[in-house]
Amino acid sequence: LVNQDTMRKKAALYYLEDTDKICLDCIERIAETRDENNEIRNALPLYAYRYSLELMCKIFLDIRIGALRPNEMSPRCTKLVSKIHDMNIGMATMRRQGPIWKYFDTPAYKKFDDSCTFVYKEVTKEIKEAFKRIKDTKEDEGKPRDQWSLLHKMLDRYGENSSIPVVMTTDMVLGGVDTTSGTTATFLYHLADNPIKQEIAFQEIDRVFGGGKLTEEGFSKLCYLRACMLEAQRISPVTSGTVRILSNPIEVNGYLIPKGSQVLQSNYVIGHDPRNFTDPEKYLPERWLRGDPDQTDAHTFANIPFGYGPRICVGKRYAEMAVMALAVKMIQRFRMEYHHEKVGLENHLINVADRDMRIRLIERS
């Protein structure tokens, strides 16, 4: 229902100016955590999370929630983060326990339900206030519809009392923040761990933006940086994979899988299979550059971090923009280095780094 407004190529670029400001706030917070060796410790996933939350609230609720304030998060933001954390813990516990929560109100289900209810109520309140603000200020009056905020488009299309804007925004806050922040953190790690690739990306960014602000025209020219992101997603996928329910029975390696079965395409397994990618443990962004000698000939579906088709991740455009934007601003300001053991993944509700990403940040000027 919302794809027509969210999946257009320029859908997320409307927010580049706000994103630029939020990126700079995030980078200041990260820089403040550096130790005597200019390394950040136990900070990158934390501030990538706060950055993603701040940006998603700006995009989908049109508010700055205070996740990147200089000293500490706003009380409201602190409670929201706590509830999202409780929801994830509750969901992970329910997955391990099996579906007993369908018959009994288990502690994990109560925690999950309470958290979802809190976020839903907060989102509903903010959307009502945003709708009133849009009507009262007439902020988009005279602008073509393509230049309206996403929230305004949804409210205009479905009305003030529709559940669609509320459900969409709740999903993005509950499901989009963790995945976007995890992708951002591992992407920056791979750039830091591969200085030659980082330098190529820096040259591209410098050529496109210099040290200036993000622009819509420039964003579309970041071919190498986008390839770097795709390669990071292949090696360190944040989600387990894409799940589909079979509409017809299929046979795989002699096994008949009946209609109605849930089938998981594992991003990690496929992305690390040498039958799909030569030297799969090697970070090689050139795999994704058309016409490059190292371009991969893997199947198109061998790396689909956001899924595919009508059920593709509805936040794909915004997540990609968020990840790329912070990488641009970090590379503009710092040369990133990593001098410790390789970072792997642990599977919780999503895949997370198995150790601290102690990246050294060296000012470029």
Side-chain angles (χ1 to χ4, degrees):
L1 292 173
V2 297
N3 278 0
Q4 52 199 317
D5 287 325
T6 61
M7 296 310 295
R8 294 180 181 181
K9 280 193 173 183
K10 294 187 177 182
L13 300 183
Y14 171 91
Y15 295 95
L16 273 182
E17 184 176 346
D18 291 317
T19 302
D20 197 298
K21 295 175 184 176
I22 293 171
C23 283
L24 294 178
D25 287 346
C26 179
I27 290 170
E28 283 301 319
R29 302 292 81 78
I30 292 173
E32 290 166 358
T33 69
R34 285 178 290 182
D35 64 15
E36 64 278 4
N37 296 317
N38 282 325
E39 287 187 347
I40 53 176
R41 295 197 176 199
N42 302 308
L44 186 56
L46 170 65
Y47 284 102
Y49 183 93
R50 292 186 183 183
Y51 161 72
S52 299
L53 179 61
E54 187 77 24
L55 185 56
M56 292 306 164
C57 286
K58 179 60 184 175
I59 292 173
F60 292 96
L61 290 173
D62 198 24
I63 59 171
R64 289 292 302 264
I65 199 167
L68 295 168
R69 298 199 313 186
N71 296 316
E72 59 184 15
M73 292 189 296
S74 67
R76 184 181 182 198
C77 186
T78 300
K79 187 169 184 180
L80 180 60
V81 169
S82 174
K83 291 297 183 181
I84 295 173
H85 176 73
D86 286 348
M87 185 216 71
N88 288 331
I89 294 296
M91 187 183 294
T93 304
M94 286 190 292
R95 286 178 66 183
R96 290 194 301 269
Q97 290 177 339
I100 58 173
W101 53 270
K102 291 184 178 181
Y103 309 101
F104 305 99
D105 283 350
T106 63
Y109 175 77
K110 289 179 181 178
K111 178 177 286 191
F112 171 81
D113 184 51
D114 174 71
S115 302
C116 288
T117 300
F118 172 83
V119 175
Y120 179 82
K121 287 180 178 178
E122 285 291 300
V123 167
T124 301
K125 181 178 71 173
E126 284 298 334
I127 285 180
K128 287 185 180 297
E129 290 180 5
F131 189 77
K132 183 177 185 302
R133 185 170 64 249
I134 289 169
K135 286 197 299 185
D136 291 347
T137 63
K138 299 180 180 179
E139 57 190 40
D140 290 327
E141 189 171 7
K143 294 181 182 177
R145 196 174 190 279
D146 279 351
Q147 295 179 20
W148 292 4
S149 69
L150 176 63
L151 188 56
H152 190 178
K153 289 177 183 176
M154 288 195 292
L155 291 170
D156 176 69
R157 191 182 297 278
Y158 301 111
E160 182 178 4
N161 298 315
S162 170
S163 65
I164 292 172
V166 176
V167 171
M168 172 67 181
T169 303
T170 303
D171 272 358
M172 289 308 301
V173 173
L174 289 175
V177 172
D178 279 282
T179 49
T180 301
S181 63
T183 300
T184 300
T186 53
F187 181 28
L188 294 177
Y189 154 71
H190 282 293
L191 288 171
D193 195 42
N194 293 272
I196 294 175
K197 308 304 181 184
Q198 182 188 162
E199 181 60 24
I200 298 172
F202 169 70
Q203 294 298 332
E204 178 182 70
I205 292 167
D206 192 52
R207 189 167 59 250
V208 172
F209 298 120
K213 294 182 178 181
L214 302 170
T215 64
E216 182 177 322
E217 180 185 5
F219 220 74
S220 64
K221 297 177 181 178
L222 297 175
C223 300
Y224 192 80
L225 188 68
R226 181 171 296 277
C228 289
M229 179 182 67
L230 286 169
E231 184 70 344
Q233 289 174 308
R234 178 190 68 80
I235 295 176
S236 304
V238 72
T239 59
S240 297
T242 301
V243 178
R244 292 290 184 268
I245 297 175
L246 294 182
S247 56
N248 296 293
I250 62 172
E251 184 178 321
V252 180
N253 290 343
Y255 291 90
L256 180 65
I257 305 177
K259 174 183 176 180
S261 299
Q262 287 193 30
V263 178
L264 168 70
Q265 173 176 296
S266 171
N267 290 335
Y268 188 90
V269 171
I270 293 173
H272 286 255
D273 191 331
R275 293 173 297 180
N276 298 322
F277 299 98
T278 305
D279 295 326
E281 304 306 318
K282 185 177 181 181
Y283 184 77
L284 190 64
E286 288 75 9
R287 299 181 202 273
W288 309 103
L289 295 177
R290 187 175 300 172
D292 192 279
D294 290 314
Q295 182 183 5
T296 181
D297 58 358
H299 192 283
T300 305
F301 289 176
N303 190 45
I304 48 171
F306 294 98
Y308 184 80
R311 300 299 177 195
I312 194 171
C313 173
V314 74
K316 176 180 186 288
R317 300 290 186 196
Y318 304 95
E320 287 183 330
M321 186 268 291
V323 174
M324 294 268 289
L326 190 60
V328 168
K329 305 310 287 187
M330 285 288 285
I331 292 172
Q332 280 180 325
R333 178 168 172 180
F334 300 114
R335 186 175 77 249
M336 298 179 287
E337 298 178 355
Y338 185 78
H339 301 289
H340 305 283
E341 290 184 54
K342 295 286 186 182
V343 174
L345 297 177
E346 290 180 352
N347 181 259
H348 295 174
L349 189 61
I350 60 172
N351 296 323
V352 298
D354 63 357
R355 65 190 70 245
D356 187 14
M357 291 180 273
R358 291 167 53 187
I359 294 174
R360 180 175 295 170
L361 303 178
I362 301 171
E363 301 277 355
R364 289 192 181 269
S365 58

